[in-house]
């Protein structure tokens, strides 16, 4: 498939900027191989050799293009007022145009999703709108409106096409080709899990009964792990471990009448999740004051009283009076020496639990680093979700993912090589400086 992509000269400029591709193997004799790309390429959804769009809305004089042009005209009218402090009648006019633009955009989006018609393995047909509503009812969700771009990813295209042709899927994968998007971390040639917000409900409806059950399980997992769809169709990885493998009794690092610190192993949740998986907080018996990612090992602190718990949470939230150090093994790369990474982060709401660099709405995130070879010492000066992982992996950061990072890395390993090795803080009761250290369970690279 890579050879085919690279043989199409007219694609080169666009796909090198980044594009998701997918393929499927189906159970016909001989085995059939189907290919797809997300969205469009060069404004087309009908390139030969690739499955067609679920609904092609790009006809020049069609309903979508006509109404899209009307919304574009409204956008231009709003742009005229950019940077101008308008009042009175002009303000009322601007507000009216914005309201009309919003109403037209929502109406066009609803129309579009009503045209995306899906066929499941039983031959039943439904629209994307109805599938999302049914998924929300089954999962107990409030959000039942599809986000923009729903139905245009590779997996929905491939499964819908296979169902319409009466083909049984054996395997399906999606991979990234080209440069990473500015705000995300995507690596050329690497396989990726399905996006949760756009694809999960559709795959739940398009797939077999087995895949539907797996999809429901993935929905529950996505709030406490890496959110990967665990199915025979999708080759993904899980770091969940059996509870019998974990014990924290021999991992005590510090204890006084108010606080207790343990060495959390890789693969254990810090706090309880939705599915009742093993977690450090239940094992310790006290409230955890900060969190480590499930795939990160190292120092985890818990409070024995509610008052101390609140005091420590405030300390970690402000990130003043507290110092944290992590050791990591990074993938090969050019970045070495000392420095600071400052990239604002926010949640990637369409691909939870992934984070993204967001220069407009993201929260400040700052990390000091020291790198020698593949070994890194990382000091987060703020406490954002996946901060160290994103700062290491992102092209505007170190551009050297943490070895074994299942979300942002390129290289697979037996674990994610990130360990919380040192914690220093002012004790909320005694006022003394407390230093807790914990040696990493892995050797330097």
């Amino acid at each position: 498939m890579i050879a085919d992509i690279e043989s199409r000269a007219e694609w080169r400029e666009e796909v090198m900027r980044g594009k998701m591709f997918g393929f499927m193997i189906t159970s016909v004799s001989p085995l059939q191989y189907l290919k797809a790309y997300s969205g469009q390429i060069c404004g087309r959804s009908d390139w030969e050799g690739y499955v067609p769009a679920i609904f092609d809305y790009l006809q020049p004089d069609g309903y979508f293009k006509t109404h899209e042009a009307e919304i574009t005209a409204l956008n231009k009218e709003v742009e005229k007022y950019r940077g101008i402090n308008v009042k009175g009648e002009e303000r009322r006019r601007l507000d009216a145009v914005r309201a009309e633009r919003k109403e037209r955009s929502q109406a066009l989006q609803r129309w579009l999703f009503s045209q995306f018609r899906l066929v499941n393995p039983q031959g039943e047909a439904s629209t994307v709108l109805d599938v999302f509503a049914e998924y929300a009812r089954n999962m107990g969700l409030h959000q039942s409106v599809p986000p923009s771009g729903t139905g245009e990813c590779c997996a929905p295209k491939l499964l819908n096409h296979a169902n319409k042709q009466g083909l049984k899927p054996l395997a399906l994968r999606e991979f990234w080709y080209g440069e990473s998007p500015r705000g995300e971390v995507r690596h050329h040639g690497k396989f990726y899990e399905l996006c949760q917000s756009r694809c999960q409900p559709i795959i739940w409806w398009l797939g077999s009964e087995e895949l539907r059950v797996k999809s429901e399980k993935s929905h529950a997992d996505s709030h406490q792990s890496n959110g990967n769809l665990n199915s025979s169709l999708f080759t993904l990885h899980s770091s969940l471990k059996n509870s019998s493998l974990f014990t924290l009794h021999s991992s005590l690092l510090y204890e006084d009448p108010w606080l207790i610190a343990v060495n959390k192993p890789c693969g254990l949740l810090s706090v309880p999740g939705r599915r009742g998986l093993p977690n450090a907080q239940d094992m310790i018996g006290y409230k955890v004051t900060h969190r480590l990612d499930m795939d990160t090992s190292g120092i985890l602190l818990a409070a024995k009283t509610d008052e101390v718990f609140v005091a420590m949470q405030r300390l970690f939230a402000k990130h003043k009076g507290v110092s944290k150090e992590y050791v990591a093994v990074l993938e090969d790369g050019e970045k070495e020496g000392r420095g600071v990474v400052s990239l604002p982060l926010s949640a990637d709401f369409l691909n939870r639990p992934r984070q993204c660099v967001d220069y407009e709405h993201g929260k400040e995130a700052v990390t000091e680093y020291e790198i020698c070879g593949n070994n890194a010492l990382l000091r987060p000066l703020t406490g954002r979700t996946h901060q160290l992982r994103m700062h290491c992996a992102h092209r505007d950061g170190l551009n050297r993912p943490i070895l074994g990072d299942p979300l942002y890395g390129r290289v697979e390993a037996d674990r994610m090589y990130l360990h919380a090795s040192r914690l220093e803080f002012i004790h909320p009761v005694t006022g003394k400086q407390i230093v807790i250290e914990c040696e990493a369970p892995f050797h330097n690279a």
Side-chain angles (χ1 to χ4, degrees):
M1 186 170 178
I2 295 293
D4 179 73
I5 295 171
E6 294 178 347
S7 71
R8 298 179 183 251
E10 64 269 51
W11 289 12
R12 187 167 297 120
E13 182 178 352
E14 181 172 336
V15 300
M16 284 306 297
R17 292 197 297 267
K19 173 70 68 173
M20 193 72 80
F21 287 86
F23 60 87
M24 173 189 285
I25 300 173
T26 65
S27 58
V28 296
S29 184
L31 294 178
Q32 189 168 348
Y33 178 74
L34 304 177
K35 299 176 293 184
Y37 49 83
S38 64
Q40 300 87 35
I41 296 180
C42 301
R44 288 179 52 183
S45 305
D46 58 352
W47 289 98
E48 184 179 356
Y50 290 77
V51 301
I54 295 174
F55 173 64
D56 188 352
Y57 54 89
L58 298 177
Q59 299 84 357
D61 299 322
Y63 184 95
F64 182 86
K65 282 295 185 181
T66 300
H67 287 75
E68 183 184 48
E70 295 171 353
I71 295 170
T72 299
L74 294 173
N75 286 336
K76 290 180 179 178
E77 191 165 349
V78 171
E79 280 297 312
K80 293 178 183 178
Y81 295 97
R82 181 182 289 273
I84 301 175
N85 184 21
V86 293
K87 299 179 181 179
E89 186 60 35
E90 280 195 318
R91 165 57 64 181
R92 287 188 288 273
R93 169 60 183 163
L94 176 58
D95 291 343
V97 171
R98 284 173 170 165
E100 182 182 358
R101 179 181 63 176
K102 181 179 180 181
E103 183 179 346
R104 284 177 175 269
S105 296
Q106 291 176 342
L108 184 58
Q109 192 81 288
R110 287 193 300 270
W111 174 86
L112 182 62
F113 290 139
S114 71
Q115 304 303 305
F116 275 74
R117 301 186 183 278
L118 309 172
V119 177
N120 68 13
Q122 292 74 44
E124 301 167 335
S126 187
T127 68
V128 164
L129 275 178
D130 291 338
V131 165
F132 265 71
E134 183 181 350
Y135 182 81
R137 287 194 299 270
N138 277 272
M139 301 296 184
L141 302 175
H142 298 295
Q143 177 64 35
S144 61
V145 179
S148 176
T150 297
E152 299 190 65
C153 297
C154 300
K157 286 183 178 181
L158 289 164
L159 280 172
N160 194 61
H161 182 78
N163 289 343
K164 290 172 70 174
Q165 300 299 319
L167 303 172
K168 182 179 179 181
L170 292 180
L172 189 158
R173 296 303 307 274
E174 292 185 348
F175 65 92
W176 186 259
Y177 187 96
E179 295 181 1
S180 178
R182 179 76 191 279
E184 301 178 54
V185 175
R186 301 286 186 184
H187 300 294
H188 177 70
K190 180 174 172 58
F191 291 110
Y192 285 93
E193 72 276 9
L194 306 183
C195 56
Q196 298 292 311
S197 297
R198 290 192 185 102
C199 293
Q200 195 75 37
I202 296 180
I203 301 306
W204 168 82
W205 199 83
L206 285 176
S208 63
E209 185 63 30
E210 177 189 5
L211 186 57
R212 180 174 291 205
V213 171
K214 296 291 187 181
S215 183
E216 292 170 356
K217 176 181 179 294
S218 176
H219 167 75
D221 287 349
S222 68
H223 295 274
Q224 56 194 19
S225 64
N226 290 324
N228 294 336
L229 181 57
N230 184 14
S231 151
S232 57
L233 281 179
F234 302 90
T235 309
L236 299 167
H237 306 282
S238 171
S239 53
L240 297 177
K241 305 292 194 301
N242 186 287
S243 60
S244 63
L245 295 178
F246 295 116
T247 175
L248 295 180
H249 298 303
S250 59
S251 301
L252 183 66
L253 300 173
Y254 173 87
E255 186 172 15
D256 64 27
W258 305 278
L259 294 167
I260 182 172
V262 299
N263 178 13
K264 184 189 84 69
C266 168
L268 180 66
L269 292 170
S270 293
V271 297
R274 289 191 174 190
R275 296 183 61 242
L277 295 172
N279 66 89
Q281 181 164 288
D282 286 347
M283 294 179 181
I284 298 170
Y286 299 106
K287 286 184 180 180
V288 168
T289 60
H290 66 115
R291 300 186 186 187
L292 298 177
D293 290 344
M294 184 174 69
D295 295 318
T296 302
S297 59
I299 302 167
L300 191 66
L301 190 68
K304 295 183 177 181
T305 70
D306 290 340
E307 294 78 11
V308 172
F309 172 76
V310 171
M312 288 304 303
Q313 281 216 312
R314 287 174 180 165
L315 198 65
F316 281 111
K318 294 179 180 178
H319 231 79
K320 294 181 179 178
V322 60
S323 173
K324 294 185 286 187
E325 288 186 0
Y326 292 73
V327 292
V329 177
L330 307 182
E331 295 182 14
D332 292 340
E334 298 179 359
K335 199 79 168 183
E336 289 214 34
R338 297 184 179 187
V340 177
V341 175
S342 180
L343 295 175
L345 301 177
S346 65
D348 185 346
F349 294 105
L350 296 178
N351 295 286
R352 289 182 180 275
R354 298 177 68 93
Q355 304 293 300
C356 62
V357 172
D358 185 346
Y359 291 98
E360 185 175 358
H361 303 294
K363 294 181 179 180
E364 181 187 33
V366 182
T367 302
E368 294 179 345
Y369 67 86
E370 296 180 26
I371 304 175
C372 181
N374 285 8
N375 303 311
L377 179 63
L378 307 170
R379 301 185 188 92
L381 305 185
T382 52
R384 309 301 177 205
T385 301
H386 293 183
Q387 175 175 321
L388 299 181
R389 298 166 68 175
M390 279 293 291
H391 281 182
C392 288
H394 197 271
R395 65 182 185 179
D396 293 340
L398 300 182
N399 198 25
R400 297 189 64 179
I402 296 169
L403 181 64
D405 189 331
L407 284 182
Y408 309 110
R410 290 182 291 253
V411 180
E412 296 181 6
D414 57 339
R415 61 159 291 167
M416 183 169 72
Y417 280 72
L418 179 64
H419 178 80
S421 59
R422 192 174 193 273
L423 177 63
E424 184 175 348
F425 60 93
I426 302 296
H427 198 291
V429 177
T430 67
K432 293 181 178 180
Q433 191 84 1
I434 304 297
V435 178
I436 305 171
E437 295 182 320
C438 179
E439 186 177 353
F442 48 82
H443 297 290
N444 290 340

